[in-house]
Amino acid sequence: MRTFFSEDHRLHFPQAELSGGEFVTPYERPSRIEYVLARLKERRLGEIVAPDAVDMEPVRKLLDPGFLAFLETAYDDWKAAGQGGEVIAAGMPTRRQRHDRIPRNIDGKVEYYCHASETAITGGTWRAAQASMACAQSAQREVANGARAAFALCRPPGHHATYDQYGGYCFLNNAAVVADMFRTNGAGRVAILDIDFHSGNGTQDIFYRCGDVMFASIHGDPLDTYPYFAGFADETGEGEGEGTTINVPFGPGTPYGPWAEALDGMIARIKDWGAEALVVSLGVDAYKDDPISFFKLDSPDFLDAGRRIGRMGLPTVFCMEGGYAIEQVGINTVNVLEGFEDA
Ligand code: FKS
Ligand code: ZN
């Protein structure tokens, strides 16, 4: 399969992430992508090509226009207000507070549109997020035009970005836009399978009330890890979307056995439901040595997971999400893709 990749991801590299009460070099850093590229070439997975320009129309259709306008100018507005550093939210709207009026002040806007303050916005963030989206969209078009699968080497990632909030290293929800583009192209039902270690709370948010996009995610139990307030097993969708959200959380130390069983369960649900296209939120932070996660998958397990996904036989777009054991990110990611291809 072909990979869509843009060098513009480098435009997003904040100086620091707030972690453990300290500012550290962000875990989500440009070098992650180098390892994936190197491995793709080593394994000759297929051509690596630049995406077409981003198409903001499908993005504007799915996500809050005010949020998009905010992201576009946040850094400039922040600087214009005399703020010295990168854009970081100091607070967020909390319980029993108003969410229905958007602050005029940039500091307040940042708090309104952010849900996790580890994530900074820099002068290049908007362009990098658009380039990441462009990769996802080009991969979608490739598959819509008849390819069996395509890999969007997205960075920054997307699955924590909601309809109107950024955070968890994510700004624009690539996988959600891809799923919606499949709908626009005529797919009656689209499934998103999220195998990143973290709950795809943003993707869940976008389709929670939607009956024609299924969202299925295996992740660390929110009682034990980020994002702490979404991804519980009893979140199953609402209204028309009742039953089309599937969450399977697991606790610390979970090995591949139960993880794979959960994956098989989701695969069966997606097939029975009649999905016509599949979007995979491909994070590899379930790996045993990931520095911010606690599952115990080993590299060959990713190959096996890819095979199981491949056997579904669906047109598939893979969107890169997380994975922070930097040197293994390439091997594990490409293992999923190779497993898929020789399923
Ligand atoms: C470190 C705490 C980190 C934020 C974790 C964000 C995970 C992001 C991700 C994505 F795919 F989006 F990149 N808290 N002390 O891996 O889910
Ligand atoms: Zn993750």
Side-chain angles (χ1 to χ4, degrees), residues 159-160 196-198 285 293 322-324:
H159 73 150
H160 298 304
D196 184 276
F197 167 80
H198 302 92
D285 38 8
S293 309
Y324 310 97

Side-chain angles (χ1 to χ4, degrees), residues 91-175:
M92 282 139 220
T94 68
R95 287 185 283 282
R96 294 173 296 283
Q97 284 189 312
R98 305 295 294 255
H99 302 82
D100 59 341
R101 269 164 272 190
I102 302 168
R104 271 192 285 265
N105 175 292
I106 181 61
D107 213 27
K109 279 196 183 26
V110 172
E111 298 197 12
Y112 181 83
Y113 285 118
C114 182
H115 63 58
S117 65
E118 86 284 276
T119 300
I121 296 175
T122 69
T125 298
W126 175 244
R127 276 173 62 202
Q130 284 184 303
S132 183
M133 180 61 74
C135 293
Q137 291 182 322
S138 284
Q140 191 278 338
R141 281 189 290 265
E142 170 112 328
V143 173
N145 290 333
R148 165 74 208 285
F151 176 40
L153 184 39
C154 298
R155 180 181 177 275
H159 73 150
H160 298 304
T162 69
Y163 171 70
D164 57 2
Q165 283 188 303
Y166 72 96
Y169 316 154
C170 299
F171 303 94
L172 296 175
N173 197 313
N174 304 308

